[in-house]
Amino acid sequence: MISLDGFIEGPDKELDWHFVDREFEEYSNNMLRSIDGILIGRKVYQLFVDYWPAAAENPSGAADPSDPSLHIEAAHLLNELPKYVVSTTMEKAEWNNSHIISGNIFEELTRLKKGEGNIALFGGASLVSSMMEMNLIDEYRLIVNPVLLGGGTPLFNGGYKRSALKFMDLIKFKSGAVAYTYKYDK
């Protein structure tokens, strides 16, 4: 998720501007069913681990509290998928099927990219920047929320080389958000 002005979180790290509705939960679950693992940084991992392991039993974040079935499915998918956490400070990851990537991160991420299938990078910003600098991202799926934050953490913070991208897909949500998919034009 990204704001129209390019931020992934607000000036005080707030995420309250992320839209979540039933249509978005369907989109998210389809995406989760299509991947073989999740790559995340330590801070995003902590946000996820604070909610998702118990979300199937307590779906408080469901878009439709009267029918949390899609949210519960997302919890099951996230709990089952392999999670690769990039961190130089974490010593153990207790969430089901979580693995820590540390040491020579470029080497480990290159090996992961070659052997683990379709891995989705969920963030954070410094991990995205590092992956861009190392030229390890093949596809971008950006969900642009119809909001201007005026500041915060930018998704794209420089340090990468100019690259041509090929437009692949566009999904318009009733909320006004738009999901863009681009691949590297190699």
Side-chain angles (χ1 to χ4, degrees):
M1 295 240 190
I2 186 171
S3 67
L4 186 60
D5 52 350
F7 299 100
I8 60 169
E9 62 186 5
D12 296 317
K13 308 241 181 260
E14 66 271 16
L15 302 173
D16 59 341
W17 52 275
H18 286 187
F19 83 95
V20 177
D21 60 11
R22 191 156 182 82
E23 184 182 29
F24 179 73
E25 285 185 327
E26 288 173 5
Y27 169 84
S28 295
N29 288 4
N30 287 335
M31 186 273 305
L32 288 170
R33 281 188 227 99
S34 75
I35 62 174
D36 301 303
I38 298 168
L39 180 65
I40 50 181
R42 179 188 53 80
K43 292 176 188 174
V44 174
Y45 175 82
Q46 194 56 56
L47 288 173
F48 277 33
V49 83
D50 286 347
Y51 178 75
W52 286 108
E57 291 77 37
N58 181 22
S60 60
D64 181 358
S66 68
D67 180 9
S69 59
L70 290 171
H71 196 74
I72 291 169
E73 179 186 6
H76 288 300
L77 289 165
L78 284 166
N79 286 319
E80 292 169 13
L81 280 166
K83 290 157 282 291
Y84 303 95
V85 186
V86 177
S87 174
T88 57
T89 59
M90 282 180 63
E91 294 183 14
K92 65 181 187 175
E94 296 182 10
W95 187 11
N96 180 51
N97 212 4
S98 294
H99 314 276
I100 298 173
I101 295 176
S102 60
N104 186 332
I105 293 180
F106 175 75
E107 186 178 291
E108 290 188 48
L109 291 176
T110 300
R111 184 175 35 83
L112 179 67
K113 182 179 171 183
K114 287 181 181 175
E116 298 299 323
N118 188 8
I119 306 296
L121 171 57
F122 276 44
S126 62
L127 179 56
V128 171
S129 291
S130 295
M131 295 285 292
M132 290 175 74
E133 288 173 29
M134 293 184 277
N135 198 28
L136 291 175
I137 298 177
D138 297 321
E139 178 178 289
Y140 291 89
R141 291 185 189 183
L142 303 174
I143 299 143
V144 180
N145 282 244
V147 62
L148 297 170
L149 296 178
T153 304
L155 177 60
F156 301 111
N157 205 15
Y160 46 87
K161 66 180 183 178
R162 179 178 169 167
S163 302
L165 300 174
K166 180 179 177 185
F167 173 77
M168 300 301 292
D169 194 23
L170 168 73
I171 298 172
K172 297 178 185 176
F173 295 98
K174 292 176 188 141
S175 67
V178 180
Y180 293 99
T181 303
Y182 293 96
K183 284 190 175 190
Y184 272 101
D185 194 13
K186 297 178 182 178

